[in-house]
Amino acid sequence: MEHKAKILLADDNPAIRGLVSEILLDAGFSVVTAEDGKDALDKIYRENPDLLILDYEMPYKTGFEVVQDVRSHPGYMHTPIIIFTAVTDKSIKLEGLGLDIDDYMTKPADADEVVARVKLLLKRNKQKMDSNPLTRLPGNPSIQARIEEEIASKRKFAVLYCDVNNFKAFNDKYGFALGDRVLLSTSRILIEACHIDPTSFVGHVGGDDFIVVCALEHAEQIAKKITEEIDKVAPNFYNEEDRKQGFMMAPNRKGEQEKFPLLSIGIGIVHNSLKELTSFAQVSNIGTELKCLAKQHEGSYYMMDRRH
């Protein structure tokens, strides 16, 4: 494995949690445990694990109910999920049809089997997804495929090109660790803003550039939510002095000290309600142009294409 994959293990039986955790830790994985369905959901969205192992029967929410919740969020549509059950009846698998569950394991599971199945699912998922290693959002091939799919469908859709303003200067002054926290926070804000549209898609182009694809009717509401939330959380990443003065001093590209406003986001919204969109390249070019115009405004700002 190229990185220490994080596994979320949810089971209301402490003995099983302890045993399977030990198996996974010995195999080199990082493990987060949960004791019931509600605890599992809280930790999934907080810890962003690479793979989920969920007990079929748990208090508050069953394993299947957790799966339904997780699969409704764009950022977790492709997270591998294993259901752990003491019931061998095939009715359990039939009940789970349509929930996009990747595998089932019957208790008590053999240690070698647990490790082999987890490794296989992680390998398959890596091959299937071109996800960003930090945010685990889909990358450029998936982004292009989704936009081309929308173009071919003839549906009314929108693409939000999102770019974090002043990120390079922030990264240079505060360091990569805090910069990564900014990107993770941004990805979570985008995912949460898209909850109003179950068909939406969130992608990470790279660096501080993100993409949202959604139904046209939700585009401005999603953009408004993103800009509001970014402006709300941005000051929290700065030291007290920079936060109070509302800017920071940092070297520019010439190495000279320059005043940089606090982090914000510029969004360009491309859509097909006023003119036909025919290619990914066309959408990308329009989105880049609109995003650059949005970035010229102070603070977070979105610009929707109004041209025919």
Side-chain angles (χ1 to χ4, degrees):
M1 289 176 295
E2 293 180 1
H3 73 289
K4 198 171 184 178
K6 185 187 294 185
I7 312 299
L8 184 286
L9 169 65
D11 198 301
D12 61 323
N13 186 319
I16 292 176
R17 280 202 312 274
L19 175 63
V20 179
S21 292
E22 188 176 343
I23 291 169
L24 294 169
L25 289 168
D26 288 345
F29 297 107
S30 170
V31 181
V32 177
T33 60
E35 59 187 26
D36 57 57
K38 183 179 181 301
D39 187 29
L41 282 175
D42 290 342
K43 289 176 177 174
I44 288 166
Y45 299 136
R46 186 168 71 243
E47 299 285 347
N48 198 19
D50 296 283
L51 181 143
L52 314 180
I53 300 177
L54 306 172
D55 184 24
Y56 169 66
E57 292 182 305
M58 291 187 289
Y60 302 114
K61 282 183 178 290
T62 68
F64 284 173
E65 287 172 334
V66 173
V67 174
Q68 286 177 313
D69 196 297
V70 167
R71 290 299 191 223
S72 70
H73 294 266
Y76 299 89
M77 289 173 64
H78 303 287
T79 302
I81 299 176
I82 297 173
I83 290 292
F84 217 15
T85 175
V87 182
T88 57
D89 197 309
K90 70 175 183 179
S91 63
I92 299 298
K93 293 184 179 181
L94 290 174
E95 185 185 344
L97 286 175
L99 291 181
D100 196 15
I101 294 165
D102 298 276
D103 203 356
Y104 292 83
M105 281 196 295
T106 305
K107 301 177 185 178
D110 176 77
D112 292 334
E113 180 188 6
V114 171
V115 173
R117 287 181 183 241
V118 167
K119 285 184 175 179
L120 178 61
L121 282 180
L122 288 171
K123 181 180 178 182
R124 285 178 178 171
N125 198 55
K126 184 178 178 183
Q127 292 170 342
K128 182 174 69 176
M129 291 290 295
D130 54 302
S131 59
N132 182 280
L134 175 66
T135 61
R136 289 201 276 281
L137 289 173
N140 290 303
S142 293
I143 291 169
Q144 179 170 347
R146 177 55 188 264
I147 291 175
E148 288 176 344
E149 177 189 325
E150 292 292 337
I151 291 171
S153 74
K154 304 298 182 182
R155 293 186 290 259
K156 297 300 180 188
F157 72 97
V159 183
L160 283 62
Y161 281 77
C162 310
D163 188 357
V164 180
N165 301 326
N166 307 311
F167 180 74
K168 183 183 184 305
F170 177 90
N171 220 20
D172 290 344
K173 177 173 180 177
Y174 283 91
F176 291 106
L178 199 53
D180 284 351
R181 281 181 54 196
V182 169
L183 296 178
L184 283 169
S185 180
T186 302
S187 69
R188 283 194 290 268
I189 287 170
L190 266 62
I191 290 168
E192 288 168 7
C194 287
H195 285 175
I196 60 169
D197 181 2
T199 67
S200 61
F201 169 95
V202 182
H204 192 170
V205 178
D208 56 349
D209 290 301
F210 296 84
I211 287 279
V212 171
V213 182
C214 63
L216 176 62
E217 64 197 86
H218 298 300
E220 285 200 80
Q221 189 178 349
I222 290 173
K224 188 172 185 291
K225 179 70 171 175
I226 293 170
T227 54
E228 289 174 350
E229 289 300 314
I230 291 289
D231 283 347
K232 187 186 300 181
V233 304
N236 299 326
F237 293 107
Y238 291 85
N239 61 36
E240 188 175 357
E241 179 186 356
D242 289 348
R243 187 163 54 245
K244 282 184 176 179
Q245 65 190 10
F247 64 86
M248 68 176 188
M249 298 301 298
N252 59 22
R253 295 180 187 276
K254 296 179 181 179
E256 303 164 341
Q257 286 293 313
E258 184 178 327
K259 184 190 291 186
F260 289 92
L262 300 187
L263 292 164
S264 58
I265 197 164
I267 304 175
I269 306 177
V270 188
H271 58 95
N272 61 347
S273 68
L274 299 178
K275 62 186 172 191
E276 185 181 9
L277 298 174
T278 58
S279 70
F280 171 74
Q282 178 198 17
V283 173
S284 182
N285 289 337
I286 297 171
T288 302
E289 178 187 1
L290 292 169
K291 182 180 68 178
C292 290
L293 291 171
K295 288 170 73 70
Q296 293 175 16
H297 290 260
E298 185 177 345
S300 294
Y301 190 86
Y302 70 86
M303 181 164 286
M304 191 153 188
D305 196 358
R306 307 290 184 188
R307 299 167 296 186
H308 289 269

